[in-house]
Amino acid sequence: LLVALADNIMVGELGAAPLAAVSLGNALIFIALSIGIGFSFAITPLVAEADAKDDSEKVKSVFHLGFLLCLVLGILLTLLMFLCEPILYMLDQPKEVVELAIPYMRWVALSLIPLMMFQAIKQFVDGLSKTMYSMIASIVANVINVLLNYLFIYGKFGFPRLEVEGAAIGTFISRIVMVMIVLLLLLSRKQFKKYFI
């Protein structure tokens, strides 16, 4: 939600049509995101239950299967968003807004894959009552998203001026970085390494 808010605020500087395009794209993305995150919530109580019984093998099994489920869901939801593009033309929006929204939605749809990977890891560590790691990754990723938005939307410091599409590329990159950060944080702690084997 913070990513979408940052996109709206920063794209809003470009005018009404770009802002409408981002809002339109995010409307469909939010539906897919709600479905994916809803499924991922099942990981936390299962991990917590196994951890309470000191069953590390069960914790690992839930984590691996949960991660796989989220990865597959991320891919399926991305494909669904691509298939939903014609719906944008049926929403009685100006053609200019729809044409700006489609490339934005494509990039943000692709970012659902790393986001769902992160969501699986987040729910796993939440089940172990170790919420700090995913929180750090989320905060850093949001800061990176704002910086990338500034570079790609407005074309600063030699970067191409991509406007609406630039906001989506920033989101895509920041979500990949978010997964990398949380993995690095967890793999640097001995207590988590056994779950990644």
Side-chain angles (χ1 to χ4, degrees):
L1 291 177
L2 286 175
V3 168
L5 179 63
D7 287 356
N8 280 338
I9 291 170
M10 298 182 81
V11 168
E13 298 289 321
L14 301 174
L19 180 59
V22 169
S23 298
L24 182 62
N26 280 328
L28 282 179
I29 292 292
F30 184 75
I31 295 168
L33 191 57
S34 299
I35 294 167
I37 289 177
F39 275 98
S40 73
F41 283 161
I43 298 170
T44 302
L46 293 172
V47 168
E49 181 185 9
D51 187 49
K53 294 176 181 176
D54 203 27
D55 187 348
S56 61
E57 283 303 310
K58 179 74 180 291
V59 170
K60 184 165 75 170
S61 175
V62 170
F63 172 46
H64 288 191
L65 291 172
F67 186 87
L68 182 62
L69 171 69
C70 287
L71 177 60
V72 170
L73 269 172
I75 294 167
L76 291 176
L77 291 170
T78 298
L79 293 173
L80 181 64
M81 288 296 97
F82 277 82
L83 292 172
C84 284
E85 285 179 13
I87 293 173
L88 295 178
Y89 288 99
M90 303 173 193
L91 297 176
D92 198 30
Q93 296 293 318
K95 189 179 178 183
E96 178 193 4
V97 170
V98 175
E99 286 176 353
L100 287 171
I102 286 176
Y104 174 85
M105 198 175 81
R106 284 177 182 166
W107 280 105
V108 179
L110 282 170
S111 80
L112 290 174
I113 298 171
L115 181 62
M116 287 305 300
M117 293 167 66
F118 173 79
Q119 189 64 26
I121 298 166
K122 177 191 178 299
Q123 297 304 134
F124 159 65
V125 292
D126 284 358
L128 296 175
S129 302
K130 305 290 184 183
T131 57
M132 181 181 69
Y133 302 103
S134 55
M135 183 184 72
I136 290 169
S138 295
I139 291 169
V140 172
N142 277 292
V143 171
I144 289 171
N145 180 57
V146 170
L147 291 172
L148 291 175
N149 276 1
Y150 181 72
L151 297 174
F152 288 127
I153 293 172
Y154 309 121
K156 301 294 183 179
F157 301 106
F159 283 82
R161 184 182 173 94
L162 300 174
E163 300 190 350
V164 173
E165 192 173 1
I169 292 170
T171 297
F172 177 68
I173 295 171
S174 67
R175 286 178 173 168
I176 291 172
V177 171
M178 185 166 64
V179 175
M180 293 169 64
I181 290 170
V182 77
L183 283 174
L184 286 171
L185 288 171
L186 294 180
L187 289 170
S188 68
R189 302 291 187 275
K190 189 177 179 181
Q191 67 188 107
F192 295 113
K193 283 185 179 178
K194 60 184 176 182
Y195 299 121
F196 287 88
I197 296 170

